[in-house]
Amino acid sequence: YPAGVPILVSMATWTDVTAQNPDHSENYARRWQTMIDRGDDIDGEARLVDALVPRNARILDAGCGQGRVGGYLAARGHEVTGTDIDPVLISHARELYPDAAWAVGDLSADEIPGGGFDLAVSTGNVMGFLAVDGRLPALENITRALKPGGRFVVGFGAGRGWGFDDFMATAREAGLEPENVFESWDLKPFTENSQFLVAIFTRPSTPAHRR
């Protein structure tokens, strides 16, 4: 994590950003649609998730945005539930990807619909938009939504206000067991100079004893 950046510096939350700029959500959705329309490859995260689960898996898209990751996975036969705090983006997801279930919800405060997921995925720097006091509750919420032995795959960049070491420690506190860390969604090795983190966790089948 870049030297000199305090671990607990808070970036603006998504709600802060959209309150300051009411057009932000539509602009965000439009930017992704533009990439899709010109044929850019935006499915790297979803391909990795697809490779980590059996066919017809139950998948949670945590902080789903306009549904690009969950939509890809639903099209391949997985049972996908996506949740996001932004109702504008959820409306886009419902229109674009009707084969998945989409719900407005705050990862830090609201119960995640369903449960018993084989895997949860969080892309697009969602972790960096969480309020400091909402970080542990969000990870605990995601952990509870997984079945025992289920996995959580998450990626976000440095400079988002949440140091990688602190994130990993908070994930452990939430009951997640680290499996692997990488610096990209195509699984390049993570180093001390990496500016992006992709982490894979497991919810243990037997809860760890807390000292």
Side-chain angles (χ1 to χ4, degrees):
Y1 194 73
V5 178
I7 287 177
L8 292 179
V9 168
S10 178
M11 302 288 285
T13 67
W14 189 266
T15 302
D16 293 335
V17 172
T18 55
Q20 293 169 10
N21 178 9
D23 295 327
H24 180 79
S25 300
E26 289 290 356
N27 292 339
Y28 179 84
R30 189 177 302 114
R31 177 168 64 88
W32 283 107
Q33 191 59 48
T34 297
M35 288 189 279
I36 293 170
D37 291 344
R38 69 178 179 230
D40 293 354
D41 180 6
I42 64 165
D43 298 321
E45 304 105 319
R47 286 196 298 270
L48 174 59
V49 170
D50 190 38
L52 292 174
V53 291
R55 295 300 87 194
N56 305 311
R58 299 192 67 242
I59 297 174
L60 170 66
D61 190 351
C64 61
Q66 82 286 20
R68 64 184 181 87
V69 173
Y72 176 102
L73 295 166
R76 280 144 188 85
H78 300 296
E79 181 184 338
V80 175
T81 297
T83 182
D84 197 282
I85 199 170
D86 192 320
V88 173
L89 296 181
I90 287 294
S91 69
H92 280 279
R94 288 171 175 161
E95 180 179 352
L96 292 168
Y97 308 106
D99 291 337
W102 309 103
V104 177
D106 183 344
L107 288 174
S108 299
D110 299 330
E111 183 178 354
I112 293 172
F117 292 101
D118 297 292
L119 183 144
V121 59
S122 181
T123 67
N125 287 310
V126 168
M127 296 294 109
F129 285 106
L130 296 172
V132 171
D133 61 0
R135 292 171 177 174
L136 178 58
L139 292 176
E140 289 176 332
N141 210 9
I142 291 168
T143 303
R144 283 192 298 271
L146 293 170
K147 71 178 186 180
R151 284 165 145 177
F152 177 42
V153 185
V154 56
F156 67 103
R160 308 297 303 186
W162 197 354
F164 294 153
D165 287 346
D166 186 60
F167 168 76
M168 297 298 293
T170 306
R172 289 187 182 94
E173 186 178 355
L176 293 164
E177 187 68 30
E179 282 188 14
N180 285 292
V181 292
F182 306 95
E183 74 162 21
S184 62
W185 288 98
D186 57 356
L187 306 185
K188 289 184 172 62
F190 187 85
T191 72
E192 62 181 13
N193 297 317
S194 294
Q195 295 298 296
F196 199 86
L197 171 73
V198 173
I200 302 176
F201 299 93
T202 302
R203 177 183 178 179
S205 297
T206 303
H209 174 67
R210 293 192 178 184
R211 297 178 181 175

